[in-house]
Amino acid sequence: LYYHYKHLRNDLSELSLLLLARCYFYCDKANCVYTLLKGYQKELKLPQSQYLFAQACFRLKKYSEAETALLGKESKYSEGIVDTIPLQAQGYYLLGRICRRTSRLKKAVKYFKRCLAINSLHWGAYSALCDLGADIDEKSWFRTDAAPIKQERYMNYLKTFDTKTTSVIDNISDTISSAFAPIRSFG
């Protein structure tokens, strides 16, 4: 915290607050995170700070505050999908969990689907959709090309290494593809 300390105002910077709040959060002290970040809520600009505050509110069962922290001033009454959610996929997943806890299941399904649209391998969102009985097609969500190991940019990066590394990566890629083969034939 010393390196983030603002000497002029004798005040903590946002990075210091985030670091301290994370320490409290990892020690399972959501009430300390809430108290710490609540005083600086209007000044929080980093999406990580907003998300951490929303998580603390969620753990303390302050769902309306958590939703407001994620959505901003649009609050829980906004109908559309908002693109300014902190940490995109994780933010939509947390919004889905909030809506699920407050018995707004249709909205929860919408947020979980938005989370999967951003990160198609987010298992928590997929599991929540299954628990809610949402009509989902697993083939459209879990694509083998969604795995980072299959993406062209990642493969080109790996080819800069020696041939032993590249052959190992090709074997892993084939193993992943063969692991998804029964799912494709079964579905």
Side-chain angles (χ1 to χ4, degrees):
L1 291 177
Y2 174 78
Y3 295 105
H4 298 293
Y5 192 72
K6 290 183 180 177
H7 297 287
L8 297 177
R9 292 184 358 186
N10 290 335
D11 200 6
L12 294 173
S13 69
E14 187 173 358
L15 289 175
S16 300
L17 287 171
L18 180 61
L19 178 63
L20 183 58
R22 278 187 181 169
C23 291
Y24 282 140
F25 193 78
Y26 294 143
C27 291
D28 203 25
K29 295 183 178 183
N31 56 345
C32 293
V33 175
Y34 177 80
T35 305
L36 179 68
L37 294 179
K38 180 70 174 177
Y40 294 94
Q41 188 176 11
K42 293 179 182 176
E43 300 169 15
L44 297 179
K45 294 177 183 155
L46 293 174
Q48 294 91 340
S49 302
Q50 296 166 348
Y51 180 75
L52 191 59
F53 179 71
Q55 275 190 317
C57 291
F58 181 80
R59 283 202 180 168
L60 295 172
K61 298 180 180 173
K62 298 181 180 198
Y63 301 124
S64 62
E65 280 189 66
E67 193 169 6
T68 303
L70 290 171
L71 291 174
K73 294 182 180 180
E74 290 148 26
S75 184
K76 62 184 177 183
Y77 301 107
S78 68
E79 292 299 320
I81 297 292
V82 183
D83 289 330
T84 59
I85 302 294
L87 303 183
Q88 293 293 309
Q90 294 91 340
Y92 281 114
Y93 178 65
L94 186 55
L95 275 171
R97 291 177 63 198
I98 291 167
C99 290
R100 187 175 180 187
R101 290 277 173 95
T102 55
S103 300
R104 294 178 287 152
L105 302 181
K106 287 183 181 180
K107 208 166 192 179
V109 167
K110 182 169 59 170
Y111 285 133
F112 287 136
K113 284 185 177 182
R114 181 69 175 159
C115 173
L116 279 176
I118 295 169
N119 179 2
S120 64
L121 299 176
H122 196 293
W123 183 255
Y126 182 76
S127 175
L129 284 171
C130 291
D131 290 344
L132 291 172
D135 185 25
I136 52 174
D137 180 24
E138 66 277 351
K139 291 179 186 177
S140 64
W141 294 115
F142 293 108
R143 304 177 314 270
T144 56
D145 63 337
I149 203 147
K150 284 289 207 177
Q151 293 178 357
E152 183 178 341
R153 185 178 69 196
Y154 184 71
M155 293 302 287
N156 289 338
Y157 170 72
L158 291 177
K159 288 179 182 176
T160 62
F161 297 111
D162 61 2
T163 56
K164 289 181 182 179
T165 306
T166 307
S167 65
V168 168
I169 296 301
D170 288 337
N171 289 339
I172 292 172
S173 178
D174 293 338
T175 304
I176 290 173
S177 296
S178 64
F180 280 107
I183 295 171
R184 274 187 254 133
S185 64
F186 201 66

